[in-house]
Amino acid sequence: MSQISLLLHHPEAIPTLAGWFFGEWGHLDEARTVATETERLSARLHADHLPLTLVALIDGAPVGTVSLRAEQVPERREWTPWLAGLYVEPGQRGRGLGGELVAAAEQAARQLGFEAMFLVAYDREAFYHRLGWTTVESVVYHRQTGLILRRSLT
């Protein structure tokens, strides 16, 4: 069984998460390195404001993560917060952990007083639709066409 907690309480997980992020999304920006991912994650050690990151642990080892960011798509700065960086270790996929991480992020956003949240999906929109997210519009972000999805939190 997994435990989902704020990265603030598990900073020792940062090197693992930084490796995951670089491996998964490093190709989107040539300036990205494991070191820059480590810096970004270190800036998300918050509980009471954005940005923040949650980590899923099994027996104390990180197996997944998700973040909330204030901004994501430059053309939609008025929309906040954004769910970002949802990642589940390949060996743990297909067990519902991604949905648990999204639900935990939604709860964190509610606790911060937000009434809705957003994300950019490139190929997993069906997953988010099953979780209650709705498509708002298409967008080109990081030179890729994706969809902006919205989730009401009220």
Side-chain angles (χ1 to χ4, degrees), residues 2-40:
S2 68
Q3 165 202 359
I4 298 176
S5 181
L6 289 163
L7 184 60
L8 169 68
H9 304 304
H10 300 280
E12 70 280 359
I14 290 174
T16 299
L17 276 57
W20 290 345
F21 282 18
F22 179 72
E24 190 73 15
W25 298 293
H27 69 281
L28 296 175
D29 180 354
E30 57 276 354
R32 270 182 146 156
T33 64
V34 173
T36 61
E37 296 300 335
T38 299
E39 288 176 28
R40 289 178 189 171

Side-chain angles (χ1 to χ4, degrees), residues 7-8 21 40-46 51-53 67 69:
L7 184 60
L8 169 68
F21 282 18
R40 289 178 189 171
L41 286 160
S42 296
R44 297 178 186 171
L45 299 177
H46 306 117
L52 63 81
T53 293
S67 293
R69 299 171 44 169

Side-chain angles (χ1 to χ4, degrees), residues 106-127:
E106 291 170 359
Q107 183 58 33
R110 273 189 211 92
Q111 289 174 342
L112 293 174
F114 294 105
E115 295 182 2
M117 54 193 295
F118 304 87
L119 65 83
V120 177
Y122 299 106
D123 60 357
R124 304 274 194 259
E125 55 275 0
F127 166 77

Side-chain angles (χ1 to χ4, degrees), residues 13-150:
I14 290 174
T16 299
L17 276 57
W20 290 345
F21 282 18
F22 179 72
E24 190 73 15
W25 298 293
H27 69 281
L28 296 175
D29 180 354
E30 57 276 354
R32 270 182 146 156
T33 64
V34 173
T36 61
E37 296 300 335
T38 299
E39 288 176 28
R40 289 178 189 171
L41 286 160
S42 296
R44 297 178 186 171
L45 299 177
H46 306 117
D48 59 353
H49 66 278
L50 302 177
L52 63 81
T53 293
L54 299 165
V55 60
L57 305 157
I58 294 179
D59 297 327
V63 293
T65 187
V66 69
S67 293
L68 288 176
R69 299 171 44 169
E71 296 180 0
Q72 178 105 14
V73 177
E75 298 82 11
R76 293 291 180 225
R77 292 190 194 282
E78 71 276 16
W79 293 349
T80 193
W82 292 81
L83 183 117
L86 176 62
Y87 183 88
V88 174
E89 189 176 53
Q92 298 296 326
R93 294 179 185 167
R95 300 177 186 187
L97 189 53
E100 291 176 25
L101 282 160
V102 172
E106 291 170 359
Q107 183 58 33
R110 273 189 211 92
Q111 289 174 342
L112 293 174
F114 294 105
E115 295 182 2
M117 54 193 295
F118 304 87
L119 65 83
V120 177
Y122 299 106
D123 60 357
R124 304 274 194 259
E125 55 275 0
F127 166 77
Y128 293 107
H129 287 158
R130 284 192 306 273
L131 298 176
W133 292 70
T134 56
T135 300
V136 177
E137 64 187 35
S138 64
V139 65
V140 175
Y141 182 65
H142 284 298
R143 300 180 306 272
Q144 293 182 305
T145 300
L147 297 174
I148 295 178
L149 279 63
R150 179 183 186 276

